[in-house]
Structures are given as structure tokens and as C-alpha cells.
Amino acid sequence: MEGKGIEEKQVYSVSEINAIIRANLEYTFFDISVRGEISNFLRYSSGHLYFDIKDEGGKLRCVMFRSYAAKLGFEPSDGEKVIVKGTISLYEKRGDLQLLVKELKKDGLGELQIKFEELKRKLEKEGLFDKKFKKSLPFLPKRIGIVTSPLGAAIMDILRIIKRRYKGLYILIYPAKVQGEGAAESIAEGIKELNRIGNLDAIIIGRGGGSIEDLWAFNEEIVARAIFESEIPIISAVGHEIDFTISDFVADLRASTPSAAAELVVQRKDLIEEKIDSSIKKMENIIKYKIETYKNTLNKLSTHRAFSSFRLNIQRKHFTIDENIKRLTSYILKKVKTEKESLWKLSSRMNNLHPLKRVAKRRGEIEILKSKLSSEITKKIENRGKIIFEYEKSIKKEILKKIEIYRLKLNSLSEKLNSLSHNKVLERGYSIVLKGRKVVKSIEDVEIGDEINILLYKGKLKSKIKDKEGENGRKD
Amino acid sequence: MEEKINFEKLFKELEEIVDKMESGDLPLQESLELFERGMKISKILKKELDSIEHRVEILLKDEEGNLKKEEFKRDTEE
């Protein structure tokens, strides 16, 4: 029976079944990660690595081929806790199960990560991250120091933003090494040097993005201490948003990127400038409106009948004065004419009498007469002018006085009008609630226990607040 | 340092003036006085903003190892 049963089902060859198992395994366990401890580690001359990973309950055979092994940053050794990533497969020749490893990394925190955490804890304990030591940026930052690589992306980002956003900023760059050997010392020296030079409102330290190793200088104690000791506020701007460094914790301000650090500085001036411009506009509008209102009131007043008669009066006076001047001039001209004529007669008579000397003498007399005459005329005109001017002045004064009186009248009238209007309302049964001299418009204006006066159309009630109820608590 | 304090103080005063002008029904005379003061302050502040030096410098070591300020030139359009 048994034998028959076997024959009825399909019979595989070993190779066949191994191939099927392998395909199934590689399909099911493709790119999986396994955690364990290395044992029996062997590096073959071919470059392939052979080892087991194990835990308390079991063992798994692993192979890491040369092409993947070459990318390994360290030499694994027995006992090391690792995470391996790869595909489970079958070594068909022996029927052995094995994990074909593509990646192998140490389990737990990396070395740098541990160092970072240690220093962070230490400095935190010392108080280097305390808020009370944080300096704030000045109201208007004008002079900025930057500690970064002059060839890096950070300085370009910062300058681009400053160039785009505004024209007034002094920048002093300290060219620092920001990665590799001596970088931390270079950055720390930069901070110290800019402090020595002084006269800066803030210092930005930073660099563009990179691996944890690239950013490492900003995790060094020497940099942290230099930041802490800086008299000038420091903005730390290292890498991308997600990168946090020790510098970020010690600095007075942390910017997520170098660009953000520049924005931080530039924004201040932008906001201030905007605020000033909007203030100017607001003030101009308010004053324009005010003047316009006053003008209108004055116009209304000046068109009042009382003033129009004044104006007429002035016009009439002007007319009289004009008339007088006209008459005066024609009189003078006539006088000059008759004088001229008599002179002419005289001179012709003298001509008849011959002697030239006498003529000249007469001429002199005539000149004197002429000048006397003209000075008298101007004097007369001047006097008239003065009188006119005085007259105008007194009229103006009177007008202004009248305007003032009308303005006062207007004010008192409008006050009366106001009181009348609220009396009307009271008459209809409304009342006014007063606390002291203030009108109570909201429950916010009074407290429970306050004494209030209720103004009725006739008389006044004195009362006390017992309770308050908002609009929502209204009972119907 | 004194200059900075002045700037901040004047800026605050300007804000106060605008608030005052906006809020109350001030007499014309007072409004005009505030307006004049406000415009004067605005002018001072704007002048101060315009006068901020704009320059990019870099510290470089000369032959003797002394740091010297030099104009920094690198095209930001690259």
C-alpha cells in the first residue's frame, strides 16, 4: 500500500525539489533583515565572507559575496551584534539553508552617535544649553559675521538671500574649514576671532548638508565652548532641517538651514521698513481726513449770510479805493499837463528873450518842481494804500472772530441736539444705565455688587448689580 | 550701541504716535503736532536704514599671518 501510494504521487529528483525549495525561499524571504551575533567568521581569499549569526535559540548560515563585502566599512568579528539584510536561499549542492547577505551593519547606536549623546548629556548638565544664557538678536541687525567655508554651499545660500531681500547689510566672513581634520578648531577660532574684531550684531556658523561625519565638527566640544563664550549672539545653521548638532543646542538661535539663518536676520529689517512705511501712510490719511473735515465746517460757516454781507462790504470798499486812485491819478496827470504847458509857454517866452543862460536856470527850476510834484504824488498813493491795508486787516480779524463764535455756537447746538435725541429715546421707555459717569453697554463694564444709576425719562434710579448674564445665558 | 537703542526707542515712539492718532478723537492742533513728530521720526528711521553699510568682506591671512579684510567676490548666480 505504501509503495503504491508513493508511486501515485509525483516523484521529484533531489535537484528538482532543491530548485523548487530554493525558488520558494528566495520568493518568500526576499530582502529581509535579521538580528544576531556573529560567530565562525571567515574571510576567504576570494573575498567572500562566511559566518553564522546566532541568538540563544538558533543559528543561521550567512554568505556575503565579494561585491557586497567590498562595501563594508569595517571588519566584522565574532561576538559582534549585527543586523544583516539579504535573501534566504538554499545551497543546492548540500541542501544547506543560507542567508545571502547584501548589507551588514552594527546593531545599536553607532560610535559617533554614542559620542554625540555623551557630549550632549555632559554639556546639558553643565548648563551650556540653558535658556538664561541665550542672547537675543539686536532689534535691527546690521553687521553679521559668518563662520563657514568660503567655497561651500552655505555662504552662497546666505548671500543669495541677502542679495534678493535687501541691500543694507555688512557681512564679514571668516573662512573656516567645516569638515575633516582640524575643522572644529578652525570653526572655534573663527568664532573667537570675530569676537576679537567685534562690532558685529550676530554671527552665523554653519555649512551645507552632509553625512553625520561631514557635519561632525559642529558636534565637537571645542566648538560648543567657543559658542558658549561668544559675546556676540550666535546663530547655528548646520545642514538640513533634520540635522541637529551640539552647536544647535548651545547657540543662541538655531536656524534649520543656512538660508533660514539669513532669512532670520533679513526679516528684521524688512518688517521694520514695512512698519515705518505703513505708519507714514496711516498718519497721512488720518491728518488728511482731519483737515478735510475742518475745511468743510469752515466752508459751511463762511457761506453763512452774516459773512456774505461782510464780503460785500469789502468789495464795496475795494471799489471805492480803486475809484479814488483813478481820480487821484487823473488829477495828477492833469496837473502835470498844465504845468508842462505853462512851462512850455515860459520857455518859449524865454527863448524869445534870447539869453540861453536864463533858459537853463529856468529849466533847473522846472526839474525841481517836477520831482517835488512826483514825490508828493507817491506819498499820497502810499498813504492811501496804508489805509486800505489797515482796513482789510481789521475786516479779516472780525471775520475770524465771527467764525470762532459760530463754531462755539455750533458745538453747543450739537450737544443740545444729542441730549435731545437721547431724551426722545428715554421717553419711549428706554433707560440708560450708568456706572459713575460711564454708560454701561455690556456686562463686562460692571461687576457684581457695583452701584449703578438707571436714567429714566423722568428721574433716576439707584441700584446694585445682583447678577450678570451673558448673551448666551439669556432666558426667554 | 547708543545708536541702536535710539533706533528702537524712536521706532516704538512712532508706533505709539500712530496708535494715538488712530484711536482718539484728538483736537486738530494735537493731531498736527503728533503728525509732525511722527513724520520727523519716520524720516530719521528711514535715513538710518538707508545708511546701513552694505558690503561683503572676508578675512584673509597675509604673508605675515595677520588677518586682513578683503572684499569677498563670488557670483551668487552660479
Side-chain angles (χ1 to χ4, degrees), chain A residues 167 170 173 275 277 290, chain B residues 15 26 46 54 57 74:
Chain A
K167 348 173 230 357
Y170 172 75
I173 302 164
K275 195 82 200 267
D277 285 340
K290 265 246 144 98
Chain B
E15 283 184 314
L26 299 173
K46 290 209 94 170
H54 181 60
E57 287 186 320
R74 214 183 126 185

Side-chain angles (χ1 to χ4, degrees), chain A residues 109-125:
Chain A
L109 294 173
E111 226 177 302
L112 287 177
Q113 203 60 41
I114 292 164
K115 259 168 110 181
F116 175 88
E117 294 296 339
E118 270 171 8
L119 182 60
K120 192 181 155 201
R121 226 170 292 133
K122 177 181 159 192
L123 297 180
E124 195 164 20
K125 220 171 160 188

Side-chain angles (χ1 to χ4, degrees), chain B residues 7-55:
Chain B
F7 189 95
E8 192 171 351
K9 239 170 125 183
L10 283 174
F11 186 80
K12 294 247 159 76
E13 194 187 335
L14 179 63
E15 283 184 314
E16 280 165 21
I17 284 172
V18 174
D19 283 348
K20 223 171 169 182
M21 284 179 75
E22 273 186 327
S23 68
D25 244 329
L26 299 173
L28 183 64
Q29 186 58 30
E30 204 177 321
S31 295
L32 280 170
E33 275 162 18
L34 284 173
F35 176 71
E36 258 166 46
R37 174 81 186 139
M39 291 307 270
K40 199 175 153 196
I41 291 172
S42 307
K43 222 171 157 187
I44 295 169
L45 293 179
K46 290 209 94 170
K47 207 174 151 195
E48 175 70 20
L49 283 180
D50 288 340
S51 73
I52 297 173
E53 183 184 17
H54 181 60
R55 203 144 38 99

Side-chain angles (χ1 to χ4, degrees), chain A residues 125-367:
Chain A
K125 220 171 160 188
E126 273 187 52
L128 264 71
F129 305 162
D130 274 9
K131 275 221 168 84
K132 63 178 173 189
F133 296 124
K134 305 269 184 219
K135 293 177 276 292
S136 50
L137 277 184
F139 184 68
L140 174 64
K142 293 186 269 193
R143 301 173 62 84
I144 309 297
I146 302 177
V147 177
T148 191
S149 160
L151 307 170
I155 188 68
M156 283 302 95
D157 289 345
I158 292 169
L159 291 182
R160 202 172 294 126
I161 281 181
I162 286 161
K163 194 172 165 189
R164 174 160 58 90
R165 295 281 296 274
Y166 85 3
K167 348 173 230 357
L169 195 66
Y170 172 75
I171 287 164
L172 182 58
I173 302 164
Y174 182 92
K177 205 180 163 197
V178 291
Q179 79 185 72
E181 187 117 349
E185 288 76 10
S186 170
I187 295 162
E189 180 53 31
I191 295 168
K192 283 178 197 159
E193 184 58 38
L194 290 182
N195 267 282
R196 274 195 286 272
I197 292 167
N199 193 18
L200 292 170
D201 297 323
I203 296 173
I204 298 173
I205 65 165
R207 53 154 291 143
S211 67
I212 183 168
E213 287 85 5
D214 290 340
L215 309 183
W216 192 251
F218 293 90
N219 286 324
E220 297 266 20
E221 189 167 350
I222 183 174
V223 173
R225 301 242 175 246
I227 293 171
F228 187 69
E229 278 155 24
S230 172
E231 301 280 332
I232 302 165
I234 295 217
I235 306 170
S236 170
V238 184
H240 301 299
E241 284 90 337
I242 47 157
D243 299 319
F244 267 92
T245 59
I246 298 285
S247 294
D248 293 335
F249 294 115
V250 192
D252 300 293
L253 275 163
R254 185 228 175 202
S256 54
T257 60
S259 301
E263 294 272 3
L264 213 72
V265 171
V266 168
Q267 233 176 33
R268 298 277 181 126
K269 197 194 164 195
D270 269 4
L271 285 177
I272 289 168
E273 212 153 28
E274 262 174 47
K275 195 82 200 267
I276 294 171
D277 285 340
S278 78
S279 294
I280 291 173
K281 237 179 230 149
K282 272 183 197 162
M283 288 190 298
E284 280 175 347
N285 285 339
I286 294 166
I287 217 75
K288 257 186 215 154
Y289 175 76
K290 265 246 144 98
I291 288 172
E292 214 45 54
T293 324
Y294 272 82
K295 245 193 202 160
N296 283 340
T297 323
L298 270 176
N299 276 343
K300 263 182 217 154
L301 279 169
S302 61
T303 50
H304 197 277
R305 226 158 24 109
F307 293 113
S308 54
S309 69
F310 263 112
R311 201 172 287 141
L312 215 69
N313 237 335
I314 292 173
Q315 273 169 5
R316 221 175 275 147
K317 292 281 172 198
H318 263 294
F319 182 75
T320 327
I321 290 158
D322 285 346
E323 205 45 37
N324 278 342
I325 289 172
K326 231 189 244 164
R327 269 160 62 191
L328 198 69
T329 0
S330 77
Y331 165 78
I332 289 161
L333 285 173
K334 221 188 256 165
K335 258 251 153 110
V336 170
K337 209 178 160 196
T338 37
E339 286 286 334
K340 247 190 191 163
E341 270 166 11
S342 70
L343 275 174
W344 185 78
K345 268 181 206 155
L346 255 167
S347 69
S348 69
R349 246 165 76 195
M350 269 193 297
N351 268 347
N352 287 344
L353 288 175
H354 282 300
L356 285 165
K357 269 178 195 169
R358 282 177 79 179
V359 174
K361 202 176 165 194
R362 271 288 176 173
R363 262 201 195 131
E365 278 169 22
I366 292 160
E367 284 307 316

